Amino acid sequence: DREGAIKLFKKVLKVKPESATGYHNLAAAILLGTENLRPMGPGSDPERALELFKKALELDPELEEAREKIEMIESELERRQAK
């Protein structure tokens, strides 16, 4: 489940604080909403996920999936602000 995944990845980062994959996976779990586990759905925290994806990319500039998620979140946040 989402909350279990968040707890697990936080534990991973306590043991391996320089793990780009750990930050990426934590961000992905936080990005999921609590309803139907939809990305950026109700209950998600896209701003926090964005910070974590950026940290993952900082640690591993080759992590293309993090770069894609950053672009997707920034685009969605801009769209929401334009409303």
Side-chain angles (χ1 to χ4, degrees):
D1 73 331
R2 178 184 181 267
E3 293 305 315
I6 289 171
K7 287 178 185 176
L8 173 66
F9 295 126
K10 283 182 177 181
K11 286 180 185 178
V12 167
L13 289 170
K14 283 184 180 180
V15 176
K16 297 178 88 176
E18 298 302 312
S19 171
T21 303
Y23 281 101
H24 179 275
N25 291 340
L26 177 59
I30 288 173
L31 188 61
L32 293 176
T34 54
E35 294 179 22
N36 301 325
L37 297 178
R38 287 185 22 241
M40 296 187 68
S44 70
D45 187 348
E47 290 86 0
R48 179 70 179 131
L50 182 61
E51 292 173 16
L52 294 167
F53 280 123
K54 287 181 177 181
K55 178 67 176 178
L57 193 59
E58 176 186 316
L59 292 169
D60 181 0
E62 303 288 320
L63 195 55
E64 190 59 35
E65 189 173 344
R67 187 179 322 278
E68 292 168 4
K69 294 290 188 187
I70 290 167
E71 291 173 6
M72 185 265 302
I73 294 169
E74 288 177 340
S75 175
E76 178 62 18
L77 291 176
E78 286 176 17
R79 187 189 69 76
R80 289 180 182 185
Q81 287 178 343
K83 284 186 173 183

